[in-house]
Amino acid sequence: MAAVFAFTVFAMHADDLTALDMSTASAKRAAYAELLKQAEALFHGERDWLANASQFSALIGQQVPELNWAGFYLNRDYPKPGSELVLGPFQGKVACVRIPFDKGVCGACARTGEIQLVEDVHAFPGHIACDGASNAELVLPVRVNGVLWGVFDMDSPRHGRFDQTDADGMSALVSLFVRACDWS
């Protein structure tokens, strides 16, 4: 019943969702605070990781301005260490299906476990061009119980689109996603 209620409350506002204002540093911080509230409402009463990953990708893809792709690449060997990522729930154009840990921005994130904030993907060694329109990328590791489960990837057609405020805001959102799911 709680899940139905949360969906109803969120759905009443979902039609009114438009990209958030991220034109200044303070507007961006406020936008990420709003996104956290929206994600909490979206996840309320739902613990399935696949459903939540799909909804999370849609929320970010719809709300964060200047994106052309947002979604997950999964470590399909989880909870063991993996060697490649496999496409998961996303919003955007058709994407690369498999990304080795030693290739591209997503692979670098998976390999190092560190956030990758890339102002110009064309200058990134080994960049994988799934969409030639992408010029900037932000990729965050998704850890479950301290182990790499996958990465969350955001692409933008605008060079320099992402900064530390985006990395911090998305880190909080990814942490919320992990807490909102059952991983058994």
Side-chain angles (χ1 to χ4, degrees):
M1 183 64 168
V4 172
F5 174 73
F7 176 75
T8 303
V9 169
F10 188 80
M12 290 185 328
H13 302 287
D15 289 339
D16 298 327
L17 294 180
T18 58
L20 295 167
D21 176 14
M22 293 191 172
S23 60
T24 66
S26 62
K28 192 179 281 193
R29 285 189 296 276
Y32 280 112
E34 176 62 26
L35 270 173
L36 270 173
K37 291 178 192 174
Q38 291 175 2
E40 286 173 349
L42 195 59
F43 298 149
H44 182 81
E46 181 55 63
R47 304 285 308 165
D48 184 87
W49 73 263
L50 182 57
N52 285 344
S54 298
Q55 292 284 55
F56 187 79
S57 298
L59 179 67
I60 299 306
Q62 185 175 4
Q63 289 288 78
V64 176
E66 298 182 288
L67 296 185
N68 59 326
W69 203 91
F72 291 92
Y73 278 96
L74 312 177
N75 172 15
R76 296 300 285 168
D77 293 326
Y78 174 83
K80 298 178 287 183
S83 60
E84 73 176 358
L85 298 165
V86 179
L87 182 64
F90 73 94
Q91 295 288 303
K93 290 183 178 181
V94 172
C96 301
V97 175
R98 295 182 184 274
I99 298 177
F101 279 24
D102 64 349
K103 301 281 189 237
V105 181
C106 289
C109 181
R111 183 177 64 257
T112 65
E114 296 176 3
I115 294 172
Q116 301 294 306
L117 198 161
V118 181
E119 292 185 6
D120 180 357
V121 296
H122 307 290
F124 190 91
H127 170 66
I128 300 169
C130 295
D131 180 352
S134 293
N135 288 310
E137 196 164 357
L138 175 62
V139 185
L140 301 99
V142 180
R143 292 183 194 87
V144 176
N145 300 319
V147 178
L148 182 75
W149 174 83
V151 301
F152 188 75
D153 180 21
M154 298 166 54
D155 293 359
S156 174
R158 182 168 67 84
H159 286 90
R161 161 61 185 86
F162 305 109
D163 61 20
Q164 191 60 48
T165 303
D166 294 293
D168 294 343
M170 287 306 303
S171 290
L173 282 157
V174 166
S175 292
L176 173 65
F177 163 74
V178 170
R179 290 190 312 273
C181 299
D182 287 331
W183 299 102
S184 55

